[in-house]
Amino acid sequence: MSKEFLQTILKQKEKEVASLELEPLQPLRETYKLYDYLKNNANKLQIIAEVKKASPSLGDINLEVDIVKQAKTYQDSGAVMISVLTDPFFFKGNIDYLRQISNQVKIPTLAKDFIIDEKQIIRSRNAGATVILLIVAALSETRLKELYDFATGLGLEVLLETHNLAELEVAHRIGAKIIGVNNRNLVTFKTDINTSLELSTAFKEGPVYISESAIFTKEDAELVAPFFNGILVGTALMTAENVAEKVKELQIDKG
């Protein structure tokens, strides 16, 4: 995802947001707090399992998937949260997928989108999300803090996504409790698990950390397990022959 490509996505989002109505607030779906769960279950590398049909880098991944069945398999296999792509334009996602899945599972759900506006946050919460994604690279620090405070004020948790040390420092300044390190380089689009390993040297005591992208095998998971509380896995699970087995394979026991 080149910087230009990120700008293309954000321009598209601005159009999308302009046509969004401000929804009246619905009750927050009840489930456990992701942060607390990760803190209290640090003996295992926890899996955030993603439902995604397509991506800009890979194209179509699994268009035929029964999203609710996939989500329930994730839950039954011990995933800590389900990430749902809601971006229709680049990821063939849909806000209704989030609603359908959130209605059928008991664990937290993450609204995975390029969020730039309060209207998207309310819409995600109304669709059953208990966690939203905010991407440091997509927003100014001031705007990031506004949206972070807005979301947490509504009882949501925030996964704050970083790609490099400067962004990680922003996440720490904002006081983020759940911080993601995306192994996909925003300029070259290539993934490198070393991004997670390099940034882990700057981690702090308070937050929990999630390694995102580029994790396909038990060996990949074992590399990041000593430094991270969880991993966000999409493609490896969406293409797995046995989804339940794949979740369990990646759930490293830190003993």
Side-chain angles (χ1 to χ4, degrees):
M1 196 186 299
S2 66
K3 275 279 158 54
E4 291 75 40
F5 187 56
L6 181 61
Q7 292 313 314
T8 305
I9 289 179
L10 294 175
K11 282 201 179 77
Q12 174 63 32
K13 276 298 139 188
E14 281 165 18
K15 282 185 205 157
E16 216 178 285
V17 165
S19 65
L20 270 190
E21 290 186 14
L22 183 64
E23 297 180 9
L25 205 57
Q26 305 296 331
L28 180 66
R29 184 168 72 87
E30 284 187 24
T31 182
Y32 55 78
K33 289 282 184 205
L34 178 67
Y35 175 82
D36 294 343
Y37 190 95
L38 290 171
K39 273 287 187 199
N40 296 333
N41 295 276
N43 57 331
K44 254 190 187 166
L45 183 70
Q46 303 292 340
I47 313 296
I48 296 170
E50 189 157 271
V51 174
K52 66 172 174 182
K53 294 189 172 188
S55 81
S57 58
L58 293 168
D60 294 347
I61 296 166
N62 186 343
L63 295 183
E64 302 306 309
V65 66
D66 177 333
I67 57 164
V68 171
K69 188 178 169 205
Q70 184 85 359
K72 283 183 159 175
T73 304
Y74 289 162
Q75 174 177 267
D76 296 344
S77 308
V80 67
M81 176 165 74
I82 296 163
S83 167
V84 186
L85 264 304
T86 59
D87 170 79
F89 206 81
F90 298 96
F91 290 88
K92 298 190 179 173
N94 196 303
I95 194 72
D96 279 333
Y97 298 166
L98 177 62
R99 191 173 284 110
Q100 289 167 33
I101 289 169
S102 297
N103 279 337
Q104 296 289 328
V105 299
K106 294 186 169 67
I107 63 176
T109 49
L110 167 74
K112 183 94 177 283
D113 208 327
F114 296 84
I115 291 180
I116 56 169
D117 193 272
E118 288 82 356
K119 289 189 287 188
Q120 292 167 287
I121 296 175
I122 291 173
R123 183 180 77 149
S124 299
R125 184 184 186 268
N126 287 351
T130 57
V131 186
I132 61 153
L133 180 76
L134 290 176
I135 302 170
V136 177
L139 299 154
S140 70
E141 188 170 338
T142 307
R143 187 65 179 128
L144 194 65
K145 178 85 173 109
E146 284 172 4
L147 293 176
Y148 185 92
D149 290 346
F150 182 78
T152 53
L154 292 179
L156 293 164
E157 293 183 279
V158 177
L159 171 58
L160 203 61
E161 180 174 292
T162 65
H163 299 84
N164 55 42
L165 186 58
E167 292 177 8
L168 183 63
E169 286 168 352
V170 170
H172 287 151
R173 277 202 296 277
I174 281 174
K177 292 172 75 178
I178 307 168
I179 298 174
V181 175
N182 195 332
N183 297 308
R184 187 178 296 286
N185 184 305
L186 274 184
V187 180
T188 64
F189 227 147
K190 289 192 168 66
T191 55
D192 184 357
I193 207 162
N194 285 312
T195 305
S196 277
L197 302 177
E198 284 160 15
L199 290 192
S200 70
T201 60
F203 287 176
K204 296 189 180 317
E205 272 300 300
V208 292
Y209 295 90
I210 309 294
S211 182
E212 307 170 22
S213 302
I215 296 162
F216 291 94
T217 64
K218 186 177 185 179
E219 289 69 31
D220 295 337
E222 281 171 343
L223 271 181
V224 299
F227 315 103
F228 286 83
N229 300 83
I231 52 177
L232 191 151
V233 186
T235 306
L237 294 174
M238 293 302 297
T239 55
E241 281 186 22
N242 187 319
V243 176
E245 264 176 30
K246 195 70 183 169
V247 173
K248 291 195 164 54
E249 175 197 326
L250 297 173
Q251 213 178 33
I252 305 301
D253 199 328
K254 301 200 218 180

